[in-house]
Amino acid sequence: RPGAGLLSLGAFLVSAASADAPSPTHFGVAVRDKLFCDQLAPPPVDVPTILPPLTPAVTVRQRSEAHVKQASCKGCHRYLDPIGFAGLAYDQLGRRAKTNEDTSGVFVDYEEGVDKPFADITELSALIAKSPRAHQCFVRQWLRFASGLDIPTDDVLPSSLTSVTFGPGDIRRLIVAVVNSAPLRYRDPVSQDR
């Protein structure tokens, strides 16, 4: 799985799949939630969340594309499923898929207002690696992990962490910045009872 990084790790793929098949929706949610720190709303209660069963005549992608065409689903799924098509190269257990699914998709960046097409999981990984939003989310995730605090938005990141940029070997610099940040150096005694 050269070049795809985190997205092609078995643990990520399994956590972003359904029990019986890869799931473009779950994969898209994982990318948006874990790698971009997007706050996604749960599906409306009146919208069915169970797709029809897979059949040999219908691929996972075809089933997802039909689902996205439904008016009640399109609003959210157009931001999720096209990202998740990259994960169709793997099965629900994180192994190379035996089917020949189309893994191309589009990353709809609603903040920049740009659609970014990709051919496969490696190209999606490269798009994410270049994204300033993904970098900020990475910083936030490290701070959450190190401090145990909930960091709901980039607005509450310490100023020492908002300017951290990445290149080869910069993760060490990030770790030092996180350890030296105010949330790790100073604790509010009232919130210590977690």
Side-chain angles (χ1 to χ4, degrees), residues 106-132:
V106 177
F107 181 84
V108 179
D109 192 329
Y110 47 81
E111 288 202 1
E112 290 182 21
V114 178
D115 292 355
K116 300 174 182 178
F118 57 85
D120 57 22
I121 200 166
T122 303
E123 286 188 16
L124 175 60
S125 185
L127 283 173
I128 293 168
K130 293 175 188 171
S131 168

PDB file of all heavy atoms in Angstrom, residues 106-132:
ATOM      1  N   VAL A 106     -14.210  12.601  -5.639  1.00  0.00           N
ATOM      2  CA  VAL A 106     -14.031  14.048  -5.563  1.00  0.00           C
ATOM      3  C   VAL A 106     -14.073  14.445  -4.097  1.00  0.00           C
ATOM      4  O   VAL A 106     -14.977  14.052  -3.368  1.00  0.00           O
ATOM      5  CB  VAL A 106     -15.144  14.797  -6.331  1.00  0.00           C
ATOM      6  CG1 VAL A 106     -14.989  16.295  -6.180  1.00  0.00           C
ATOM      7  CG2 VAL A 106     -15.152  14.406  -7.787  1.00  0.00           C
ATOM      8  N   PHE A 107     -13.082  15.226  -3.697  1.00  0.00           N
ATOM      9  CA  PHE A 107     -13.127  15.824  -2.377  1.00  0.00           C
ATOM     10  C   PHE A 107     -13.778  17.185  -2.539  1.00  0.00           C
ATOM     11  O   PHE A 107     -13.218  18.081  -3.161  1.00  0.00           O
ATOM     12  CB  PHE A 107     -11.725  15.964  -1.773  1.00  0.00           C
ATOM     13  CG  PHE A 107     -11.753  16.549  -0.396  1.00  0.00           C
ATOM     14  CD1 PHE A 107     -11.975  15.748   0.699  1.00  0.00           C
ATOM     15  CD2 PHE A 107     -11.600  17.909  -0.205  1.00  0.00           C
ATOM     16  CE1 PHE A 107     -12.031  16.285   1.975  1.00  0.00           C
ATOM     17  CE2 PHE A 107     -11.655  18.462   1.058  1.00  0.00           C
ATOM     18  CZ  PHE A 107     -11.869  17.643   2.150  1.00  0.00           C
ATOM     19  N   VAL A 108     -14.983  17.316  -2.026  1.00  0.00           N
ATOM     20  CA  VAL A 108     -15.720  18.574  -2.112  1.00  0.00           C
ATOM     21  C   VAL A 108     -15.302  19.411  -0.910  1.00  0.00           C
ATOM     22  O   VAL A 108     -15.683  19.128   0.219  1.00  0.00           O
ATOM     23  CB  VAL A 108     -17.245  18.333  -2.114  1.00  0.00           C
ATOM     24  CG1 VAL A 108     -17.993  19.652  -2.174  1.00  0.00           C
ATOM     25  CG2 VAL A 108     -17.637  17.427  -3.267  1.00  0.00           C
ATOM     26  N   ASP A 109     -14.481  20.405  -1.171  1.00  0.00           N
ATOM     27  CA  ASP A 109     -13.995  21.271  -0.104  1.00  0.00           C
ATOM     28  C   ASP A 109     -14.937  22.465  -0.001  1.00  0.00           C
ATOM     29  O   ASP A 109     -14.824  23.425  -0.749  1.00  0.00           O
ATOM     30  CB  ASP A 109     -12.567  21.731  -0.386  1.00  0.00           C
ATOM     31  CG  ASP A 109     -11.922  22.383   0.831  1.00  0.00           C
ATOM     32  OD1 ASP A 109     -12.649  22.997   1.635  1.00  0.00           O
ATOM     33  OD2 ASP A 109     -10.698  22.272   0.974  1.00  0.00           O
ATOM     34  N   TYR A 110     -15.884  22.368   0.908  1.00  0.00           N
ATOM     35  CA  TYR A 110     -16.895  23.407   1.015  1.00  0.00           C
ATOM     36  C   TYR A 110     -16.342  24.684   1.626  1.00  0.00           C
ATOM     37  O   TYR A 110     -16.932  25.735   1.466  1.00  0.00           O
ATOM     38  CB  TYR A 110     -18.140  22.936   1.766  1.00  0.00           C
ATOM     39  CG  TYR A 110     -17.875  22.202   3.050  1.00  0.00           C
ATOM     40  CD1 TYR A 110     -17.588  22.875   4.217  1.00  0.00           C
ATOM     41  CD2 TYR A 110     -17.928  20.814   3.092  1.00  0.00           C
ATOM     42  CE1 TYR A 110     -17.348  22.199   5.395  1.00  0.00           C
ATOM     43  CE2 TYR A 110     -17.702  20.129   4.265  1.00  0.00           C
ATOM     44  CZ  TYR A 110     -17.405  20.828   5.415  1.00  0.00           C
ATOM     45  OH  TYR A 110     -17.160  20.154   6.569  1.00  0.00           O
ATOM     46  N   GLU A 111     -15.205  24.631   2.300  1.00  0.00           N
ATOM     47  CA  GLU A 111     -14.628  25.865   2.838  1.00  0.00           C
ATOM     48  C   GLU A 111     -13.917  26.657   1.755  1.00  0.00           C
ATOM     49  O   GLU A 111     -13.986  27.873   1.720  1.00  0.00           O
ATOM     50  CB  GLU A 111     -13.684  25.549   3.999  1.00  0.00           C
ATOM     51  CG  GLU A 111     -14.437  25.124   5.241  1.00  0.00           C
ATOM     52  CD  GLU A 111     -13.641  25.325   6.504  1.00  0.00           C
ATOM     53  OE1 GLU A 111     -12.511  25.818   6.448  1.00  0.00           O
ATOM     54  OE2 GLU A 111     -14.184  24.974   7.559  1.00  0.00           O
ATOM     55  N   GLU A 112     -13.199  25.962   0.869  1.00  0.00           N
ATOM     56  CA  GLU A 112     -12.513  26.646  -0.228  1.00  0.00           C
ATOM     57  C   GLU A 112     -13.418  26.801  -1.445  1.00  0.00           C
ATOM     58  O   GLU A 112     -13.091  27.532  -2.372  1.00  0.00           O
ATOM     59  CB  GLU A 112     -11.256  25.868  -0.634  1.00  0.00           C
ATOM     60  CG  GLU A 112     -10.152  25.917   0.389  1.00  0.00           C
ATOM     61  CD  GLU A 112      -8.909  25.176  -0.079  1.00  0.00           C
ATOM     62  OE1 GLU A 112      -8.739  24.962  -1.294  1.00  0.00           O
ATOM     63  OE2 GLU A 112      -8.104  24.811   0.784  1.00  0.00           O
ATOM     64  N   GLY A 113     -14.537  26.081  -1.469  1.00  0.00           N
ATOM     65  CA  GLY A 113     -15.445  26.130  -2.600  1.00  0.00           C
ATOM     66  C   GLY A 113     -14.885  25.488  -3.859  1.00  0.00           C
ATOM     67  O   GLY A 113     -15.205  25.899  -4.966  1.00  0.00           O
ATOM     68  N   VAL A 114     -14.046  24.473  -3.675  1.00  0.00           N
ATOM     69  CA  VAL A 114     -13.382  23.825  -4.799  1.00  0.00           C
ATOM     70  C   VAL A 114     -13.599  22.313  -4.717  1.00  0.00           C
ATOM     71  O   VAL A 114     -13.494  21.724  -3.649  1.00  0.00           O
ATOM     72  CB  VAL A 114     -11.862  24.118  -4.759  1.00  0.00           C
ATOM     73  CG1 VAL A 114     -11.142  23.422  -5.889  1.00  0.00           C
ATOM     74  CG2 VAL A 114     -11.594  25.602  -4.792  1.00  0.00           C
ATOM     75  N   ASP A 115     -13.900  21.711  -5.868  1.00  0.00           N
ATOM     76  CA  ASP A 115     -13.970  20.254  -5.956  1.00  0.00           C
ATOM     77  C   ASP A 115     -12.602  19.750  -6.388  1.00  0.00           C
ATOM     78  O   ASP A 115     -12.055  20.225  -7.391  1.00  0.00           O
ATOM     79  CB  ASP A 115     -15.015  19.807  -6.980  1.00  0.00           C
ATOM     80  CG  ASP A 115     -16.431  20.135  -6.529  1.00  0.00           C
ATOM     81  OD1 ASP A 115     -16.603  20.622  -5.394  1.00  0.00           O
ATOM     82  OD2 ASP A 115     -17.355  19.897  -7.314  1.00  0.00           O
ATOM     83  N   LYS A 116     -12.046  18.806  -5.630  1.00  0.00           N
ATOM     84  CA  LYS A 116     -10.712  18.294  -5.917  1.00  0.00           C
ATOM     85  C   LYS A 116     -10.820  16.812  -6.287  1.00  0.00           C
ATOM     86  O   LYS A 116     -10.986  15.962  -5.415  1.00  0.00           O
ATOM     87  CB  LYS A 116      -9.819  18.480  -4.699  1.00  0.00           C
ATOM     88  CG  LYS A 116      -9.675  19.948  -4.305  1.00  0.00           C
ATOM     89  CD  LYS A 116      -8.906  20.127  -3.025  1.00  0.00           C
ATOM     90  CE  LYS A 116      -8.845  21.597  -2.656  1.00  0.00           C
ATOM     91  NZ  LYS A 116      -8.156  21.829  -1.399  1.00  0.00           N
ATOM     92  N   PRO A 117     -10.741  16.498  -7.588  1.00  0.00           N
ATOM     93  CA  PRO A 117     -10.863  15.100  -8.008  1.00  0.00           C
ATOM     94  C   PRO A 117      -9.595  14.308  -7.669  1.00  0.00           C
ATOM     95  O   PRO A 117      -8.500  14.863  -7.590  1.00  0.00           O
ATOM     96  CB  PRO A 117     -11.054  15.194  -9.520  1.00  0.00           C
ATOM     97  CG  PRO A 117     -10.497  16.510  -9.906  1.00  0.00           C
ATOM     98  CD  PRO A 117     -10.591  17.409  -8.708  1.00  0.00           C
ATOM     99  N   PHE A 118      -9.781  13.005  -7.470  1.00  0.00           N
ATOM    100  CA  PHE A 118      -8.648  12.100  -7.247  1.00  0.00           C
ATOM    101  C   PHE A 118      -8.949  10.774  -7.928  1.00  0.00           C
ATOM    102  O   PHE A 118     -10.110  10.421  -8.131  1.00  0.00           O
ATOM    103  CB  PHE A 118      -8.372  11.906  -5.749  1.00  0.00           C
ATOM    104  CG  PHE A 118      -9.547  11.388  -4.975  1.00  0.00           C
ATOM    105  CD1 PHE A 118      -9.810  10.028  -4.891  1.00  0.00           C
ATOM    106  CD2 PHE A 118     -10.411  12.262  -4.340  1.00  0.00           C
ATOM    107  CE1 PHE A 118     -10.900   9.553  -4.184  1.00  0.00           C
ATOM    108  CE2 PHE A 118     -11.509  11.794  -3.627  1.00  0.00           C
ATOM    109  CZ  PHE A 118     -11.747  10.435  -3.546  1.00  0.00           C
ATOM    110  N   ALA A 119      -7.905  10.041  -8.273  1.00  0.00           N
ATOM    111  CA  ALA A 119      -8.055   8.769  -8.985  1.00  0.00           C
ATOM    112  C   ALA A 119      -8.143   7.580  -8.046  1.00  0.00           C
ATOM    113  O   ALA A 119      -8.780   6.585  -8.371  1.00  0.00           O
ATOM    114  CB  ALA A 119      -6.892   8.564  -9.960  1.00  0.00           C
ATOM    115  N   ASP A 120      -7.501   7.691  -6.885  1.00  0.00           N
ATOM    116  CA  ASP A 120      -7.441   6.544  -5.979  1.00  0.00           C
ATOM    117  C   ASP A 120      -7.067   7.016  -4.574  1.00  0.00           C
ATOM    118  O   ASP A 120      -6.919   8.209  -4.326  1.00  0.00           O
ATOM    119  CB  ASP A 120      -6.450   5.491  -6.497  1.00  0.00           C
ATOM    120  CG  ASP A 120      -5.047   6.045  -6.710  1.00  0.00           C
ATOM    121  OD1 ASP A 120      -4.691   7.082  -6.097  1.00  0.00           O
ATOM    122  OD2 ASP A 120      -4.290   5.447  -7.493  1.00  0.00           O
ATOM    123  N   ILE A 121      -6.861   6.064  -3.690  1.00  0.00           N
ATOM    124  CA  ILE A 121      -6.588   6.367  -2.292  1.00  0.00           C
ATOM    125  C   ILE A 121      -5.257   7.097  -2.113  1.00  0.00           C
ATOM    126  O   ILE A 121      -5.113   7.942  -1.234  1.00  0.00           O
ATOM    127  CB  ILE A 121      -6.668   5.074  -1.440  1.00  0.00           C
ATOM    128  CG1 ILE A 121      -6.879   5.397   0.033  1.00  0.00           C
ATOM    129  CG2 ILE A 121      -5.454   4.179  -1.682  1.00  0.00           C
ATOM    130  CD1 ILE A 121      -7.305   4.208   0.862  1.00  0.00           C
ATOM    131  N   THR A 122      -4.289   6.811  -2.973  1.00  0.00           N
ATOM    132  CA  THR A 122      -2.993   7.478  -2.888  1.00  0.00           C
ATOM    133  C   THR A 122      -3.133   8.965  -3.232  1.00  0.00           C
ATOM    134  O   THR A 122      -2.565   9.823  -2.547  1.00  0.00           O
ATOM    135  CB  THR A 122      -1.976   6.799  -3.822  1.00  0.00           C
ATOM    136  OG1 THR A 122      -1.894   5.413  -3.467  1.00  0.00           O
ATOM    137  CG2 THR A 122      -0.606   7.419  -3.695  1.00  0.00           C
ATOM    138  N   GLU A 123      -3.899   9.283  -4.256  1.00  0.00           N
ATOM    139  CA  GLU A 123      -4.116  10.691  -4.609  1.00  0.00           C
ATOM    140  C   GLU A 123      -4.943  11.414  -3.548  1.00  0.00           C
ATOM    141  O   GLU A 123      -4.688  12.585  -3.261  1.00  0.00           O
ATOM    142  CB  GLU A 123      -4.773  10.811  -5.983  1.00  0.00           C
ATOM    143  CG  GLU A 123      -3.828  10.528  -7.124  1.00  0.00           C
ATOM    144  CD  GLU A 123      -4.430  10.831  -8.485  1.00  0.00           C
ATOM    145  OE1 GLU A 123      -5.460  11.546  -8.573  1.00  0.00           O
ATOM    146  OE2 GLU A 123      -3.857  10.354  -9.479  1.00  0.00           O
ATOM    147  N   LEU A 124      -5.927  10.730  -2.960  1.00  0.00           N
ATOM    148  CA  LEU A 124      -6.699  11.344  -1.875  1.00  0.00           C
ATOM    149  C   LEU A 124      -5.782  11.646  -0.700  1.00  0.00           C
ATOM    150  O   LEU A 124      -5.841  12.731  -0.110  1.00  0.00           O
ATOM    151  CB  LEU A 124      -7.856  10.439  -1.430  1.00  0.00           C
ATOM    152  CG  LEU A 124      -8.643  10.929  -0.216  1.00  0.00           C
ATOM    153  CD1 LEU A 124      -9.282  12.295  -0.471  1.00  0.00           C
ATOM    154  CD2 LEU A 124      -9.691   9.908   0.184  1.00  0.00           C
ATOM    155  N   SER A 125      -4.909  10.718  -0.373  1.00  0.00           N
ATOM    156  CA  SER A 125      -3.962  10.921   0.720  1.00  0.00           C
ATOM    157  C   SER A 125      -3.073  12.135   0.454  1.00  0.00           C
ATOM    158  O   SER A 125      -2.813  12.940   1.352  1.00  0.00           O
ATOM    159  CB  SER A 125      -3.108   9.658   0.900  1.00  0.00           C
ATOM    160  OG  SER A 125      -2.276   9.785   2.014  1.00  0.00           O
ATOM    161  N   ALA A 126      -2.634  12.301  -0.788  1.00  0.00           N
ATOM    162  CA  ALA A 126      -1.798  13.450  -1.149  1.00  0.00           C
ATOM    163  C   ALA A 126      -2.576  14.763  -1.014  1.00  0.00           C
ATOM    164  O   ALA A 126      -2.024  15.769  -0.550  1.00  0.00           O
ATOM    165  CB  ALA A 126      -1.263  13.291  -2.566  1.00  0.00           C
ATOM    166  N   LEU A 127      -3.862  14.760  -1.409  1.00  0.00           N
ATOM    167  CA  LEU A 127      -4.699  15.958  -1.240  1.00  0.00           C
ATOM    168  C   LEU A 127      -4.815  16.336   0.234  1.00  0.00           C
ATOM    169  O   LEU A 127      -4.711  17.512   0.597  1.00  0.00           O
ATOM    170  CB  LEU A 127      -6.106  15.716  -1.794  1.00  0.00           C
ATOM    171  CG  LEU A 127      -6.303  15.753  -3.292  1.00  0.00           C
ATOM    172  CD1 LEU A 127      -7.728  15.318  -3.651  1.00  0.00           C
ATOM    173  CD2 LEU A 127      -6.044  17.150  -3.835  1.00  0.00           C
ATOM    174  N   ILE A 128      -5.034  15.339   1.071  1.00  0.00           N
ATOM    175  CA  ILE A 128      -5.172  15.588   2.505  1.00  0.00           C
ATOM    176  C   ILE A 128      -3.861  16.121   3.078  1.00  0.00           C
ATOM    177  O   ILE A 128      -3.849  17.067   3.864  1.00  0.00           O
ATOM    178  CB  ILE A 128      -5.636  14.310   3.242  1.00  0.00           C
ATOM    179  CG1 ILE A 128      -7.054  13.958   2.807  1.00  0.00           C
ATOM    180  CG2 ILE A 128      -5.545  14.488   4.758  1.00  0.00           C
ATOM    181  CD1 ILE A 128      -7.510  12.581   3.237  1.00  0.00           C
ATOM    182  N   ALA A 129      -2.740  15.532   2.660  1.00  0.00           N
ATOM    183  CA  ALA A 129      -1.426  15.947   3.172  1.00  0.00           C
ATOM    184  C   ALA A 129      -1.109  17.406   2.844  1.00  0.00           C
ATOM    185  O   ALA A 129      -0.388  18.060   3.585  1.00  0.00           O
ATOM    186  CB  ALA A 129      -0.337  15.037   2.608  1.00  0.00           C
ATOM    187  N   LYS A 130      -1.676  17.929   1.765  1.00  0.00           N
ATOM    188  CA  LYS A 130      -1.415  19.318   1.356  1.00  0.00           C
ATOM    189  C   LYS A 130      -2.410  20.309   1.958  1.00  0.00           C
ATOM    190  O   LYS A 130      -2.254  21.515   1.790  1.00  0.00           O
ATOM    191  CB  LYS A 130      -1.484  19.430  -0.166  1.00  0.00           C
ATOM    192  CG  LYS A 130      -0.375  18.696  -0.872  1.00  0.00           C
ATOM    193  CD  LYS A 130      -0.577  18.762  -2.366  1.00  0.00           C
ATOM    194  CE  LYS A 130       0.424  17.871  -3.085  1.00  0.00           C
ATOM    195  NZ  LYS A 130       0.103  17.772  -4.514  1.00  0.00           N
ATOM    196  N   SER A 131      -3.413  19.825   2.641  1.00  0.00           N
ATOM    197  CA  SER A 131      -4.489  20.690   3.114  1.00  0.00           C
ATOM    198  C   SER A 131      -4.146  21.390   4.437  1.00  0.00           C
ATOM    199  O   SER A 131      -3.894  20.734   5.442  1.00  0.00           O
ATOM    200  CB  SER A 131      -5.759  19.864   3.318  1.00  0.00           C
ATOM    201  OG  SER A 131      -6.716  20.614   4.019  1.00  0.00           O
ATOM    202  N   PRO A 132      -4.185  22.720   4.465  1.00  0.00           N
ATOM    203  CA  PRO A 132      -3.979  23.439   5.728  1.00  0.00           C
ATOM    204  C   PRO A 132      -5.020  23.058   6.793  1.00  0.00           C
ATOM    205  O   PRO A 132      -4.707  22.998   7.980  1.00  0.00           O
ATOM    206  CB  PRO A 132      -4.118  24.917   5.342  1.00  0.00           C
ATOM    207  CG  PRO A 132      -3.836  24.960   3.876  1.00  0.00           C
ATOM    208  CD  PRO A 132      -4.328  23.646   3.336  1.00  0.00           C
TER     209      PRO A 132
END
